[in-house]
Amino acid sequence: EDFHTVPFRTSPSSAGCNTAPSPGSADMEVNLLSKTGIDDDAVLSIRAGSVRRQAQINSGRPFRFAKGIMEENPLKIDILKQVGSAYLVMKPGEDRYKVYFGEDVKMDLELELKKTDGEVGPEEEPAKKTEAAAGAKDAKEYLESHKV
């Protein structure tokens, strides 16, 4: 595999600052120091365990995580690139929409919009478990492939 890892800094990130983080603040942060070959419109996504942080690659903002989350290993780093964009204007009484992405790009999708009572339904629980299982599988494969 073509990859490399870089260390991350602990909070606070200001040079020479010796004060402890205030209660409730992020205990650890990941800072992008440089990039090569990545477009400015890309999105950097970092996942530690089940917590994901995302930002425009050139935002200059640190990715803050609680200390316990940062003990998750390995971190999953994704570079996301927009492949399409569209606006959906919702209409009263409509619940199904077909969304087309651009004239040159032959992409579309169909959406259904539903009102909910704000509670998580049982159909959403397996998705969370599946995502957690996928993260655990990714971590296990990483550790096994690197003989850790």
Side-chain angles (χ1 to χ4, degrees):
E1 274 184 47
D2 182 24
F3 70 93
H4 69 281
T5 59
V6 293
F8 57 87
R9 292 194 222 170
T10 59
S11 261
S13 62
S14 304
C17 184
N18 294 323
T19 60
S22 61
S25 68
D27 294 314
M28 304 291 276
E29 67 183 35
V30 178
N31 294 288
L32 175 65
L33 302 178
S34 67
K35 64 179 179 65
T36 304
I38 301 171
D39 294 339
D40 287 340
D41 65 343
V43 172
L44 178 59
S45 175
I46 301 174
R47 188 181 79 206
S50 62
V51 176
R52 179 181 300 274
R53 302 284 186 254
Q54 293 178 268
Q56 194 82 22
I57 195 104
N58 61 358
S59 71
R61 295 187 331 222
F63 295 82
R64 292 189 173 99
F65 295 89
K67 184 177 181 182
I69 295 297
M70 287 304 294
E71 292 170 1
E72 296 288 335
N73 214 352
L75 295 177
K76 177 139 172 43
I77 313 292
D78 294 313
I79 302 297
L80 308 174
K81 182 88 167 134
Q82 181 176 325
V83 296
S85 181
Y87 289 97
L88 172 62
V89 178
M90 296 176 283
K91 299 175 184 172
E94 295 284 327
D95 61 352
R96 293 183 73 135
Y97 298 89
K98 190 141 188 175
V99 182
Y100 297 93
F101 296 86
E103 295 175 20
D104 299 334
V105 181
K106 302 296 183 208
M107 293 188 304
D108 65 70
L109 53 84
E110 190 169 350
L111 300 174
E112 178 182 39
L113 306 179
K114 294 181 180 181
K115 290 186 179 181
T116 63
D117 58 6
E119 294 183 23
V120 175
E123 68 278 357
E124 294 178 13
E125 291 300 321
K128 288 182 183 178
K129 290 179 184 174
T130 302
E131 184 177 309
K137 183 180 178 213
D138 288 347
K140 182 179 178 185
E141 288 173 1
Y142 173 87
L143 295 172
E144 287 174 355
S145 69
H146 294 89
K147 297 177 179 44
V148 178

